[in-house]
Amino acid sequence: MRLVVMKFGGTSVEDAAAIERTAKIVAGRVALGKSPVVVVSAMAKVTDALLAAAGAASRGDRIGALALSARLRCRHRDTAGALLRGDQLPKFQTWIDAEFDGLDEVLRGLAAIGELTPRISDLVVSHGERLSSRLVAAAFIERDIAAAHVDARDCIVTDDHYGKAIPQDDFIEERCRIHVVPHLHQGRVPVMGGFIGSTVKGITTTLGRGGSDFTGALIGGALDAEAIEIWTDVNGIMTTDPRICPDALRVKTISFEEAAELAYFGAKVLHPATILPAVKKNIPVQVLNSRNAENEGTRIISLAPHSNSPFKCIAAKRKLTIIDVVASRMLMSHGYLKAIFDVFDKHKCAVDMVSTSEVSVSLTVDSNEKLPAIAADLSALADVKYEGRKALICMVGENIRGQNGIAAQVFQAVRHVNVRMISQGASEINMSFMIEEDDVDEAVRSLHAAFFKDPDPEIFDVEARDAARAIMTQLEERVEL
Ligand code: ADP
Ligand code: ASP
Ligand code: MG
């Protein structure tokens, strides 16, 4: 069986037209003799709306929360109305109503209690993927794709770290054998929601924002798929976020290691944990555009080909905080760093970057709500200051290993920007530094202009950029005439 996991993000299922495109793409894979397993996100912006509804309810705004839910109910009903016919439609709309009635009950409960726990937040937010996956499965069946809906919570077993639950690999393989494999043997396309899971006791959890990519990779790993496809709204992994820099180029091939660094340090196109299950089983991952299915996208494989360009990509991660711990009292004492990291460990808070001197340690974190408690604990050890609205710029590329003069070029390109912390080392394939959040766009554009002036056509899609430039020139000429 030529099994391929196809994950479609929020924009690829955002409305009836997008779901139509998705159905065509999946039917195309079936026609090629492949056996797809489809993983879908919630329709675009639904997760944000559900979180907003839960937040409003818990602040006592029952009417506001129910209004948000009512809007989502209409959107799902309307999309179903545009996609389904005959008997399927009334049955499906009754099911949608029952789902939203259940959600509204939870929202009313939240408004009465006035408290939102991470566990209830996961329950509320899980509705997005529960709805989209049933809708997509029904739309596939209507279009003669033999599809079967699978509740992802039966397959993705996690711990109970609500909001960012950790998957339990051994259970997942066994659950996939029970809930997914029989459909494949009968020639059906299993369709499930990404992002959601459940504990062994059956309580709903989520894998963290953007987690549907992770689900796709987990399912691919569990089923030993021949490929994992991440379908999104851009042509693949680009040299930087095209929303910041319209000149960004598609990267044709990238290594697992490079992609993992990029995702971890802010490139939203891939959830940071996606690569791990793929690396474990050496399954190639492909990032593709559901609005431009003909494009080759980006292949992520174990060994990337050599390139003339030092960097493959520039990622930016915003909303970070720098914590400065200044320790005159503890000067020269050993065990000091351990004591600091114990505090972060106690609060289950991940640290992105660290830089140390004899008397001070600077760390960056992306969690705001835990900061006051962390600072209180740290102040028992030293003087503590923290400052938000910072961003991390991360330049990634296997070819910076052992190259002289790269750092000078990087900091020359951002000479007008105030750089707060610098890090290079560890993986040897990234160079990162912290700046003010407001400087991100300027820094990324300057770096992109400096390092992607003359990109290697073996690695980057230079033809597409040149074609786009030619069209722009023609348009400008026409406007001038
Ligand atoms: P999906 O809903 O399909 O998971 P996301 O919004 O999570 O899609 O990720 C796709 C978006 O990631 C793109 O629209 C793009 O703006 C952003 N992005 C950030 N960095 C990059 C990059 N290096 N390459 C491609 N896209 C990027
Ligand atoms: N729907 C979830 C989110 O918006 C998961 C995902 O789309 O990957 O974060
Ligand atoms: Mg995403």
Side-chain angles (χ1 to χ4, degrees), residues 319-357:
K319 295 196 186 143
L320 298 183
T321 298
I322 297 184
I323 307 175
D324 291 316
V325 187
V326 183
S328 45
R329 280 171 280 147
M330 302 280 293
L331 196 61
M332 316 271 295
S333 85
H334 75 274
Y336 176 55
L337 282 177
K338 178 179 183 304
I340 292 180
F341 283 112
D342 281 348
V343 171
F344 287 90
D345 186 42
K346 174 181 156 197
H347 293 279
K348 291 203 169 73
C349 180
V351 172
D352 282 320
M353 193 195 277
V354 188
S355 106
T356 67
S357 77

Side-chain angles (χ1 to χ4, degrees), residues 7 9-10 41 209-213 230 232 268-271:
K7 177 264 169 175
S41 290
R209 293 305 305 267
S212 297
D213 298 341
I230 307 286
T232 183
K268 193 189 169 209
V269 65
L270 217 55
H271 181 278

Side-chain angles (χ1 to χ4, degrees), residues 134-202:
R134 286 222 181 246
L135 183 55
V136 168
F140 281 7
I141 292 168
E142 181 92 29
R143 278 149 194 78
D144 294 328
I145 301 171
H149 181 261
V150 173
D151 191 328
R153 293 171 299 174
D154 291 333
C155 300
I156 304 294
V157 179
T158 70
D159 69 0
D160 61 359
H161 190 179
Y162 300 104
K164 216 169 195 169
I166 313 282
Q168 314 289 297
D169 289 355
D170 296 344
F171 284 103
I172 295 174
E173 279 195 22
E174 190 193 322
R175 297 292 187 93
C176 282
R177 268 198 297 277
I178 300 170
H179 296 283
V180 180
V181 172
H183 291 302
L184 290 166
H185 283 315
Q186 284 164 17
R188 286 195 287 263
V189 176
V191 179
M192 64 172 88
F195 178 57
I196 59 176
S198 77
T199 64
V200 264
K201 290 189 187 142

Side-chain angles (χ1 to χ4, degrees), residues 347-398:
H347 293 279
K348 291 203 169 73
C349 180
V351 172
D352 282 320
M353 193 195 277
V354 188
S355 106
T356 67
S357 77
E358 187 64 36
V359 289
S360 69
V361 182
S362 298
L363 311 101
T364 69
V365 298
D366 65 2
S367 148
N368 284 327
E369 73 270 23
K370 293 176 182 160
L371 274 177
I374 291 173
D377 282 357
L378 286 174
S379 60
L381 304 170
D383 297 329
V384 183
K385 268 194 325 228
Y386 59 90
E387 230 185 295
R389 294 184 51 76
K390 300 287 175 280
L392 184 138
I393 303 288
C394 175
M395 316 270 301
V396 175
E398 300 245 11

Side-chain angles (χ1 to χ4, degrees), residues 7-11 40-48 51 125 128-129 194-196 206-215 268 271:
K7 177 264 169 175
F8 291 89
T11 43
V40 295
S41 290
M43 295 169 79
K45 306 212 167 71
V46 167
T47 306
D48 289 338
L51 282 172
V125 93
E129 271 71 8
F195 178 57
I196 59 176
T206 66
L207 303 177
R209 293 305 305 267
S212 297
D213 298 341
F214 194 10
T215 307
K268 193 189 169 209
H271 181 278

